[in-house]
Amino acid sequence: MNVLNFIDGVFVDAIDEQTISNINPATGQIIGTLARSKGLDVESAVEAALNAQQDWSALSMLERADWLDRIADGLEARKEELAQRESRDTGKPLALARRVDAQRSIDNFRFFADFARKREPEVFEMTDATNVVHRNPIGTVGLITPWNLPLYLLSWKVAPALLMGNTIVAKPSELTPLTANLLCEVTSEIGLPSGVLNIVHGYGPEVGQAILEHPDIRAISFTGGTETGRHVAATAAPMFKKLSLELGGKNATIILDDADIDMAVEGAVRAGFTNGGQVCLCGSRILVHTSIADEFTSRLVEAVEAMVCGAPENESTQIGALISQDHMHKVESYIQLGIEEGGTILTGGTREMTGQVGPTSEGAFLRPTVIDGLDHNSRTSTEEIFGPVVTIHRFEYDEEAIEIANSTEYGLAGSVWSGDTNRAHEIAQRIETGIIWVNTWLHRDLRTPFGGVKNSGVGREGGAWSLGFFSEPLNVCIKHD
Ligand code: NAP
């Protein structure tokens, strides 16, 4: 499949007709190409978006909510294809792509449509005046997204941006263009006005950079790594663009002495290895109370060894390929670092898989890995690996668990496992993070704030927070007679 840019409602080549090969990381095979765009392509997308702006923002929010529902219907009608494309692009298990990526991409549009319909007017009464807050569009907004949950994360931005009356220039990761393209096909099929949604494919330093620098793009919503986020902020902040940064994480899974061990093991495996550990929320540092540490660790290793790893299309596969050979080598280098830092590999660290239809040697496969015995301040335990690797750390007192959990530059997510939810709640409040679960993980209510503290980001997404980001509030204060 050759993926083109989608600008002003038309699929077009990059202006200089350059392309990039798209590789399926599970097979190492080239499955198509995508446009390798540059500044001029972004310029043309911005022009289309600016031209579409007035008519789109003239619709009422409820009319735009209806458009979101139509997009959701269009995606739903092609849900299986969506999952297949996501699995081919990322190497993730098809079953996971169906359950998580495809479903959530549809849900994001439905959620924001419903949220708009239930929205209460923002009115603040004074004794002698009434304040009415209007939410005006920002204009043309730039969306830049990563490869780990491609359409899930892109639609999480597209839906609220459209709802609030903005037009869009978006750049998905060049590693995963297929489902962004499917979204364009759907919007084209349903007749979304031309220029409202524009997608420009290509490399970050070429397309992404041009989006950051374009003076007519007034807001940037970015999800990706912390280093790239730093660059995004350094480029866009001096232009006074509105900025939302959803960045990396190194999240703690804290298991207290009174935790239900079955539940905690199941939760730690899910938190550690969902999507091959390539979720920003993954619990890659497991903190366990010394009194249950030995039992927990041996049960964890048993559960990890039972995971089915291999060909993404097998229904039973739980761990597919990593996103690329390069990324696999990066993860392997961290496993090596873990050994050099004094860690013991309890399981994993190798490439052989369990799937019956085995992956080829060109596939970016790595077994889920558990490392014990590392100092909690070691690089392996504090830097984001973003792969199927967890480290285990023991603690004696709750205070110690809190200190270890907070001892990274990140602050995105975490979970606490305990039989006493009040105690867990107390601890949760002392973890420097944006979201934390008690006795569960990645249980999302889309109305709640999502985002990080410290080097995990700036700002929040979700429900009213997304609507707030993608709009400019205008307060009208009307003096009573
Ligand atoms: P990344 O390398 O930072 O890339 C993210 C996006 O930024 C990609 O589209 C990338 O394009 C683009 N980009 C790169 N350089 C750019 C530049 N100079 N200007 C503008 N855009 C540029 O991150 P990734 O490796 O794709 O994703 C993994 C990271 O994302 C992890 O750190 C993970 O924790 C984080 N993440 C965070 C969240 C969250 O909600 N907090 C969610 C998911 C992932 P190219 O692909 O072409 O380089």
Side-chain angles (χ1 to χ4, degrees), residues 203-234:
Y203 292 119
E206 296 179 344
V207 177
Q209 187 69 22
I211 291 175
L212 298 182
E213 288 174 358
H214 201 292
D216 291 324
I217 294 182
R218 296 307 313 147
I220 302 286
S221 178
F222 171 85
T223 298
T226 293
E227 267 324 298
T228 320
R230 209 184 296 280
H231 173 77
V232 169

Coordinates of all heavy atoms in Angstrom, one line a residue, residues 203-234:
Y203 N 9.1 12.3 8.0 CA 10.0 12.2 9.1 C 9.8 13.4 10.1 O 9.4 14.5 9.6 CB 11.5 12.3 8.7 CG 11.9 11.0 8.0 CD1 12.4 11.1 6.7 CD2 11.9 9.8 8.6 CE1 12.8 9.9 6.0 CE2 12.3 8.6 8.0 CZ 12.8 8.7 6.7 OH 13.2 7.6 6.1
G204 N 10.0 13.1 11.4 CA 9.8 14.2 12.4 C 10.6 15.5 12.1 O 10.1 16.6 12.0
P205 N 11.9 15.3 11.9 CA 12.7 16.5 11.7 C 12.4 17.3 10.4 O 12.8 18.4 10.2 CB 14.2 16.0 11.6 CG 14.1 14.7 12.4 CD 12.8 14.1 12.0
E206 N 11.6 16.6 9.5 CA 11.2 17.3 8.2 C 9.8 17.9 8.3 O 9.6 19.1 8.4 CB 11.4 16.4 7.0 CG 12.9 16.0 6.9 CD 13.2 15.1 5.7 OE1 12.3 14.4 5.2 OE2 14.4 15.0 5.4
V207 N 8.8 16.9 8.4 CA 7.4 17.4 8.5 C 7.1 17.9 9.9 O 6.5 19.0 10.0 CB 6.5 16.2 8.2 CG1 5.0 16.6 8.4 CG2 6.7 15.6 6.9
G208 N 7.5 17.2 10.9 CA 7.1 17.6 12.3 C 7.7 19.0 12.6 O 7.0 19.9 13.1
Q209 N 8.9 19.2 12.2 CA 9.6 20.4 12.4 C 8.9 21.6 11.7 O 8.7 22.7 12.2 CB 11.1 20.3 11.9 CG 11.9 21.5 12.2 CD 12.2 21.6 13.7 OE1 12.2 20.6 14.5 NE2 12.5 22.8 14.2
A210 N 8.5 21.3 10.4 CA 7.8 22.4 9.7 C 6.4 22.7 10.4 O 6.0 23.9 10.3 CB 7.5 21.9 8.2
I211 N 5.8 21.7 10.9 CA 4.5 22.0 11.7 C 4.8 22.9 12.9 O 4.2 23.9 13.2 CB 3.8 20.7 12.1 CG1 3.3 20.0 10.8 CG2 2.7 20.9 13.1 CD1 2.7 18.6 11.1
L212 N 5.9 22.5 13.6 CA 6.2 23.3 14.8 C 6.5 24.7 14.5 O 6.2 25.7 15.2 CB 7.5 22.7 15.5 CG 7.4 21.3 16.0 CD1 8.8 20.9 16.7 CD2 6.3 21.1 17.0
E213 N 7.2 24.9 13.4 CA 7.7 26.3 13.0 C 6.7 27.1 12.3 O 6.9 28.3 12.1 CB 8.9 26.2 12.1 CG 10.2 25.7 12.9 CD 11.4 25.4 12.0 OE1 11.2 25.6 10.8 OE2 12.4 25.0 12.6
H214 N 5.6 26.5 11.8 CA 4.7 27.3 10.9 C 3.9 28.3 11.8 O 3.2 28.0 12.7 CB 3.7 26.4 10.2 CG 3.1 27.0 9.0 ND1 2.3 28.1 9.1 CD2 3.3 26.8 7.7 CE1 1.9 28.5 7.9 NE2 2.5 27.7 7.0
P215 N 4.0 29.6 11.4 CA 3.4 30.7 12.2 C 1.9 30.6 12.3 O 1.3 31.1 13.2 CB 3.9 32.0 11.5 CG 4.3 31.6 10.2 CD 4.7 30.1 10.2
D216 N 1.2 30.0 11.3 CA -0.2 29.9 11.3 C -0.8 28.7 12.0 O -2.0 28.6 12.1 CB -0.8 29.9 9.8 CG -0.5 31.3 9.1 OD1 -0.6 32.3 9.8 OD2 -0.2 31.3 7.9
I217 N 0.1 27.9 12.5 CA -0.4 26.8 13.4 C -0.3 27.3 14.8 O 0.8 27.5 15.3 CB 0.4 25.5 13.1 CG1 0.2 25.0 11.7 CG2 0.1 24.4 14.2 CD1 0.9 23.7 11.4
R218 N -1.4 27.5 15.5 CA -1.4 28.2 16.7 C -1.3 27.3 18.0 O -1.2 27.8 19.1 CB -2.7 29.1 16.8 CG -2.8 30.2 15.8 CD -1.5 31.1 15.7 NE -1.0 31.5 17.0 CZ 0.3 31.7 17.3 NH1 1.2 31.5 16.4 NH2 0.6 32.1 18.5
A219 N -1.5 26.0 17.8 CA -1.3 25.1 18.9 C -0.7 23.8 18.5 O -0.9 23.4 17.3 CB -2.7 24.8 19.5
I220 N 0.1 23.2 19.4 CA 0.7 21.9 19.1 C 0.3 21.0 20.2 O 0.6 21.2 21.4 CB 2.3 22.0 19.1 CG1 2.8 23.1 18.1 CG2 2.9 20.7 18.9 CD1 2.7 22.7 16.6
S221 N -0.3 19.8 19.8 CA -0.5 18.8 20.7 C 0.4 17.6 20.3 O 0.3 17.1 19.2 CB -2.0 18.3 20.7 OG -2.2 17.3 21.6
F222 N 1.3 17.3 21.2 CA 2.4 16.4 20.9 C 2.4 15.2 21.8 O 2.3 15.4 23.1 CB 3.8 17.1 21.0 CG 4.9 16.1 20.9 CD1 5.4 15.8 19.6 CD2 5.5 15.6 22.0 CE1 6.5 14.9 19.6 CE2 6.6 14.7 21.9 CZ 7.1 14.4 20.7
T223 N 2.5 14.0 21.3 CA 2.7 12.8 22.2 C 3.9 12.1 21.6 O 4.0 11.8 20.4 CB 1.5 11.9 22.2 OG1 0.3 12.6 22.7 CG2 1.7 10.6 23.0
G224 N 4.9 11.9 22.5 CA 6.1 11.2 22.1 C 7.1 11.2 23.2 O 6.8 11.3 24.4
G225 N 8.4 11.0 22.8 CA 9.4 10.8 23.8 C 9.8 12.2 24.5 O 9.5 13.3 23.9
T226 N 10.4 12.1 25.7 CA 10.7 13.3 26.5 C 11.7 14.2 25.7 O 11.6 15.4 25.7 CB 11.2 12.9 27.9 OG1 10.0 12.3 28.5 CG2 11.7 14.1 28.7
E227 N 12.7 13.5 25.1 CA 13.7 14.3 24.4 C 13.1 15.1 23.3 O 13.4 16.3 23.0 CB 14.9 13.4 23.9 CG 16.0 13.4 24.9 CD 16.3 14.6 25.6 OE1 16.7 15.7 25.0 OE2 16.2 14.7 26.9
T228 N 12.3 14.4 22.5 CA 11.6 15.1 21.4 C 10.7 16.2 21.9 O 10.6 17.3 21.4 CB 10.8 14.2 20.5 OG1 11.5 12.9 20.4 CG2 10.5 14.7 19.1
G229 N 10.0 15.9 23.0 CA 9.2 16.9 23.7 C 9.9 18.2 24.0 O 9.4 19.3 23.9
R230 N 11.1 18.0 24.5 CA 12.0 19.1 24.9 C 12.2 20.0 23.7 O 12.1 21.2 23.7 CB 13.3 18.6 25.4 CG 14.0 19.5 26.5 CD 15.3 18.9 26.8 NE 15.3 17.6 27.5 CZ 15.0 17.4 28.8 NH1 14.8 18.4 29.5 NH2 15.0 16.2 29.3
H231 N 12.5 19.3 22.6 CA 12.7 20.1 21.3 C 11.5 20.8 20.8 O 11.5 21.9 20.4 CB 13.3 19.1 20.3 CG 13.4 19.7 18.9 ND1 14.5 20.5 18.6 CD2 12.6 19.6 17.8 CE1 14.3 20.9 17.3 NE2 13.2 20.4 16.8
V232 N 10.3 20.1 21.0 CA 9.1 20.7 20.5 C 8.8 21.9 21.4 O 8.5 23.0 20.8 CB 7.9 19.6 20.8 CG1 6.5 20.3 20.6 CG2 8.0 18.5 19.8
A233 N 9.0 21.9 22.7 CA 8.8 23.0 23.5 C 9.7 24.1 23.2 O 9.3 25.3 23.1 CB 8.9 22.6 25.0
A234 N 11.0 23.8 23.0 CA 12.0 24.8 22.7 C 11.7 25.6 21.4 O 12.0 26.8 21.2 CB 13.4 24.2 22.6

